[in-house]
Amino acid sequence: MNMSEPRSTFRWPFPVATLIGGALVAAGFFLTGVSWWFFLLAAAGALGPGLLRELGLLNDRDEFQRRADHRAGYFAFLVTGFVAFVMVAFIRSGGVFEHPERLPSFLLALLWFTWFFSSLLSYWGAARTAARTLYAFGAVWLVFTILSNVGNEWTGWAALLLHPLLTVPFFVLGWLATRKERIAGWLLVAASIGLFAFLRLPALLKAGSIAPLIDDGAMLLFIGPLLASGMALLSADQGASEDEFDDDAAPGSGATPD
């Protein structure tokens, strides 16, 4: 080995600002048990790094990363803005939300999820984003089903062995997303519609309004990843590279989403 050659060094994949922001978000959520004013720490962690970058006070992103962030932010603005217009029309038409205090949380969840998923699409492309989302989704539900069966009340070996099988479709569709994108996309959309019809449609029909849908932000983070992954796979340009916006993008920059 030539001693004059530079040594290879480990490069931390996450910017320092991202790590600090993540710590503030976690602290903000944790300290809400003391006072909900600590939730502003989560706001500082989630929005602070981006604000500093836009003001030119923080330059830790290359051109490709900045374009990806701007694209994701604009898409989040479009989706969240449309839902806000629907809410205003609903309320002004005499509609009433059973839990109006949940509306800001719902809009925050929608804004964050849309931005985050759009960012992943910009960095990884439709196939890899869908696959990794489904793997993560399946892993979380796998852990949940196991813990729910060995927690406070033992439900028996049959339940412990059978309930985790409910997570198999997530892993199967994740594997299929990188091989048969169109098939996986249609299956994901069908699964999303089926879950929505099973879990929320009866409540919507009973209430006769959209109020139960907006009141339950958790469903957004449950069905949202499946529907978004399916739509991304169906709308993806099969001949285009997964990592570039256009011909002069920089897919080899090794960028990672915040």
Side-chain angles (χ1 to χ4, degrees), residues 6-254:
R7 295 181 180 180
S8 59
T9 58
F10 173 76
R11 183 181 179 182
W12 188 256
F14 302 104
V16 174
T18 299
L19 297 176
I20 295 175
L24 286 175
V25 170
F29 275 100
F30 179 76
L31 292 173
T32 54
V34 178
S35 171
W36 271 97
W37 284 110
F38 282 110
F39 193 63
L40 294 179
L41 286 176
L47 307 177
L51 180 61
L52 293 176
R53 291 176 184 125
E54 292 305 307
L55 292 176
L57 302 177
L58 184 63
N59 297 304
D60 60 346
R61 313 283 279 175
D62 58 30
E63 182 62 22
F64 174 77
Q65 292 171 316
R66 291 182 63 85
R67 291 174 66 188
D69 287 342
H70 291 167
R71 182 180 183 182
Y74 183 62
F75 191 68
F77 161 74
L78 293 176
V79 173
T80 309
F82 174 77
V83 173
F85 274 106
V86 173
M87 287 182 176
V88 172
F90 175 74
I91 294 173
R92 293 295 184 178
S93 299
V96 177
F97 290 104
E98 184 178 352
H99 301 286
E101 71 279 3
R102 297 180 182 176
L103 297 183
S105 298
F106 177 85
L107 288 175
L108 275 178
L110 179 64
L111 180 68
W112 176 84
F113 172 74
T114 306
W115 170 84
F116 185 70
F117 196 84
S118 182
S119 296
L120 295 183
L121 286 174
S122 298
Y123 286 103
W124 291 340
R128 281 186 290 172
T129 297
R132 293 172 182 180
T133 299
L134 291 168
Y135 288 150
F137 210 64
V140 169
W141 279 103
L142 178 61
V143 172
F144 175 77
T145 56
I146 293 176
L147 292 179
S148 63
N149 283 285
V150 298
N152 296 330
E153 183 178 351
W154 172 249
T155 56
W157 285 105
L160 180 61
L161 295 176
L162 293 177
H163 286 175
L165 293 178
L166 297 174
T167 65
V168 170
F170 294 106
F171 294 105
V172 172
L173 288 172
W175 175 85
L176 191 64
T178 57
R179 291 161 177 81
K180 299 292 183 180
E181 295 184 19
R182 295 292 180 180
I183 296 176
W186 284 114
L187 289 175
L188 284 167
V189 171
S192 303
I193 295 174
L195 285 172
F196 175 79
F198 177 73
L199 296 173
R200 299 309 299 160
L201 188 57
L204 293 177
L205 294 176
K206 182 179 180 180
S209 72
I210 63 171
L213 178 61
I214 304 300
D215 285 342
D216 192 359
M219 292 304 301
L220 169 68
L221 301 180
F222 180 76
I223 297 178
L226 302 180
L227 180 61
S229 297
M231 294 180 64
L233 289 173
L234 292 176
S235 61
D237 184 358
Q238 302 299 313
S241 171
E242 293 180 339
D243 296 314
E244 57 187 26
F245 293 119
D246 48 35
D247 293 339
D248 62 350
S253 62

